[in-house]
């Protein structure tokens, strides 16, 4: 069974950093591109970042470019999202999702909640 | 960036009714479009990709169509379990962009 499990969320002050993880199981992680998508409370979906299977191609939404870094460790079947200079508008539920091709996201995690507040 | 305009924002349908949700792209996205369903408190699920390809395990009452800048999702015979939010996503260019969503309820 394909599974994606996010962790690392929490309450953080504005300007601080947080790192999310997404552990994959049930498929060959190194064969798939991966995405981070977020959903602010009561709002729609916002794509955040994509990383290709071998990390050669990386793309970000303009709203997070320069502050967030997506990465992966294929040996550990783990996707990461390093978030710095956090703002209140980054408050959201963050999902990781498998994408092949990138926009066809056929497996999603349960989400990690990030709240940015003083 | 490619803008995705989704309509309607909300929809109320009777059991068995056929409904459609539309997404219009700000430029040609060459059928690189997916539809996702999100039930209350759950993660999104893939319904349709490449504009009209049904994801494995998705009921055949769901169908997608369109080309160029205009796309639609149709549910032929609304069922209680179809209540939820629906989003389109364009995959033609980065940054990927979602439509604003449609809330579908049973009348």
């Amino acid at each position: 069974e394909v599974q994606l499990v996010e962790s690392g969320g929490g309450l953080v002050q504005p300007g601080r950093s947080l790192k999310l993880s997404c552990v994959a199981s049930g498929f060959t992680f190194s064969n798939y591109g991966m995405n981070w998508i977020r959903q602010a409370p009561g709002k729609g979906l916002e794509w955040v970042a994509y990383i290709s299977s071998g990390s050669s191609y990386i793309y970000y939404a303009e709203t997070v470019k320069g502050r967030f870094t997506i990465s992966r460790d294929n040996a550990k079947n783990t996707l990461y999202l390093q978030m710095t200079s956090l703002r209140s508008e980054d408050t959201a539920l963050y999902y990781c999702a498998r994408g092949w091709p990138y926009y066809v996201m056929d497996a999603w995690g349960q989400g990690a909640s990030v709240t940015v507040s003083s | 960036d490619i803008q995705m305009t989704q309509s309607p924002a909300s929809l109320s349908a009777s059991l068995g009714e056929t409904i459609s949700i539309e997404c219009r792209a700000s430029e040609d996205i060459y059928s690189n479009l997916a539809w996702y369903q999100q039930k209350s408190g759950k993660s999104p699920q893939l319904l349709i990709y490449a504009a009209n390809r049904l994801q494995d395990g998705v009921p055949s009452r769901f169908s997608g169509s369109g080309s160029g800048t205009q796309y639609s999702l149709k549910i032929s015979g609304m069922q209680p379990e179809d209540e939820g939010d629906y989003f389109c996503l364009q995959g033609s260019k980065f940054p990927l962009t979602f439509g604003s969503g449609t809330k579908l309820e049973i009348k």
Side-chain angles (χ1 to χ4, degrees), chain B residues 10-72:
Chain B
S10 63
L11 190 52
S12 185
S14 303
L15 288 178
E17 186 177 347
T18 293
I19 66 97
S20 286
I21 298 169
E22 312 288 326
C23 263
R24 176 170 50 85
S26 59
E27 62 183 79
D28 195 327
I29 58 172
Y30 305 100
S31 297
N32 290 300
L33 183 104
W35 290 96
Y36 295 86
Q37 176 195 59
Q38 185 178 31
K39 296 183 181 180
S40 181
K42 301 293 187 182
S43 302
Q45 284 193 298
L46 176 67
L47 297 174
I48 300 282
Y49 63 97
N52 60 14
R53 303 286 297 272
L54 191 68
Q55 172 67 358
D56 290 346
V58 174
S60 58
R61 62 180 179 275
F62 290 92
S63 62
S65 63
S67 62
T69 62
Q70 302 272 8
Y71 298 87
S72 62

Side-chain angles (χ1 to χ4, degrees), chain A residues 2 8 10 12 18 29 32 52 65 73 75 77 89:
Chain A
V2 173
V12 62
L18 202 62
F29 180 69
Y32 289 84
S52 61
K65 195 176 290 185
D73 184 336
N77 290 343
E89 54 264 38

Side-chain angles (χ1 to χ4, degrees), chain A residues 35 37 39 43-47 50 59-62 95 101-106 108-111, chain B residues 1 31-34 36 38 42-44 46 49-50 55 87 89-92 94-96 98 100:
Chain A
N35 294 278
I37 300 96
Q39 187 169 35
K43 301 297 184 182
L45 300 172
E46 180 188 13
W47 172 80
Y50 168 81
Y59 301 93
Y60 297 98
E62 282 298 322
Y95 295 102
Y102 43 88
Y103 76 100
V104 181
M105 301 178 201
D106 65 343
W108 295 63
Q110 83 289 350
Chain B
D1 298 359
S31 297
N32 290 300
L33 183 104
Y36 295 86
Q38 185 178 31
K42 301 293 187 182
S43 302
L46 176 67
Y49 63 97
Q55 172 67 358
F87 299 92
L89 171 68
Q90 70 80 20
S92 177
F94 286 99
L96 307 184
F98 284 94
S100 53

